[in-house]
Amino acid sequence: MADNREDRKKEAALEAILFAMGESVEQKRLAEAIGESTERTGELLCHMRERWEKQGRGVTLICLEDSWQMCTRTELYDYLIRIARAPKKYSLTDTLLETLSIVAYKQPVTKLDVERIRGVNCDHAINRLVEYGLVEELGRLDAPGRPLLFGTTEQFLRSFGVSSLGELPELSALQVEEFKEQAEQEALQVNV
C-alpha cells in the first residue's frame, strides 16, 4: 500500500489532520484535503491503522460511520489516567439502558414515542443520556407541538465499540415481546 513517497506523504497529512482535529472527521473531507477519492483515502487509513497496530503504537484509528478519529489504544488507558485527569464515569441503570436502546433502534424518535414503548415518563432518562453525550437532539418533528427528535451520537458508537448503527444486534420478535412485558411490569410497580 503506502510503499511510495506520495502515499507516505498523504498518510502523514491524514495523521496530522486527525491529530490536530482531536475529534472524528468525515472520510469525504479527509479525501478532499489530500486530493484522493474517498475509497482510496479509506484504504490509506486502514493501512495506517494496521501498521500502527503491528508497531504497537499508543494511538490507533477508529472508524465511526463514515468518519475517522485518532484515539488512545484502550489497553493503554491505565497509563494515561496516571497523568491525565480521569474522565467522568457514568453508570447506565437498567432504565437508562432501556431508554438508550429504544432511541438507538427507533431513531429519530420523540420522547413521547419512547414513553409509549416504555410505558413510563422518560424525562429524566432522556436528559441523563443527553448529559452523558450518548443521545442528542436531531431537530423537531413536523407535527403539532413540534416535539424534539432524539438520536444517538458518535460517543454512543465509541462507548459501545461499534462503528455504525448497522453493527447493532438485530432484535428478535421474542426479545421485543420480553422488553414490552418488562416495561409493563415496571409501569405497574411505579403506579403501585
Side-chain angles (χ1 to χ4, degrees):
M1 175 74 51
D3 295 327
N4 67 50
R5 176 174 277 168
E6 190 61 31
D7 283 350
R8 287 193 303 268
K9 184 177 178 180
K10 288 179 180 179
E11 285 185 1
L14 290 168
E15 182 176 354
I17 291 167
L18 292 172
F19 175 78
M21 294 301 291
E23 57 187 29
S24 66
V25 180
E26 289 181 7
Q27 187 168 316
K28 180 181 175 183
R29 289 184 61 209
L30 292 169
E32 291 169 359
I34 65 168
E36 281 288 352
S37 69
T38 55
E39 182 179 289
R40 178 70 178 133
T41 301
E43 291 171 2
L44 290 169
L45 289 161
C46 287
H47 179 259
M48 288 170 57
R49 179 173 51 193
E50 291 169 14
R51 192 175 70 245
W52 291 2
E53 289 298 318
K54 285 180 188 172
Q55 294 171 345
R57 305 243 325 240
V59 294
T60 189
L61 295 174
I62 59 171
C63 183
L64 304 165
E65 302 251 313
D66 63 346
S67 299
W68 288 81
Q69 183 173 2
M70 181 186 296
C71 62
T72 306
R73 286 188 14 224
T74 55
E75 61 268 23
L76 300 175
Y77 182 73
D78 288 339
Y79 296 105
L80 181 63
I81 62 172
R82 292 178 188 166
I83 197 153
R85 199 173 119 217
K88 182 180 176 183
K89 296 253 182 188
Y90 50 83
S91 70
L92 295 176
T93 63
D94 288 345
T95 299
L96 292 179
L97 281 172
E98 289 170 9
T99 304
L100 182 57
S101 297
I102 294 166
V103 173
Y105 282 97
K106 297 285 190 179
Q107 64 185 304
V109 64
T110 65
K111 185 175 69 69
L112 183 60
D113 292 333
V114 175
E115 290 174 349
R116 282 186 187 133
I117 294 168
R118 290 205 62 242
V120 295
N121 184 296
C122 293
D123 284 336
H124 174 75
I126 295 282
N127 290 339
R128 187 63 60 167
L129 292 169
V130 169
E131 177 185 325
Y132 291 163
L134 299 172
V135 169
E136 66 184 349
E137 295 176 7
L138 299 178
R140 293 191 175 270
L141 183 64
D142 190 18
R146 309 246 323 128
L148 289 170
L149 290 168
F150 294 95
T152 55
T153 64
E154 281 187 357
Q155 181 60 37
F156 166 81
L157 297 175
R158 261 185 232 99
S159 297
F160 288 90
V162 295
S163 60
S164 72
L165 294 173
E167 290 182 20
L168 293 176
E170 289 189 33
L171 296 177
S172 69
L174 178 62
Q175 288 172 312
V176 171
E177 192 56 39
E178 287 175 2
F179 290 148
K180 283 183 181 178
E181 288 175 18
Q182 289 173 354
E184 288 170 3
Q185 289 173 356
E186 183 179 313
L188 289 175
Q189 291 173 353
V190 169
N191 293 330
V192 172

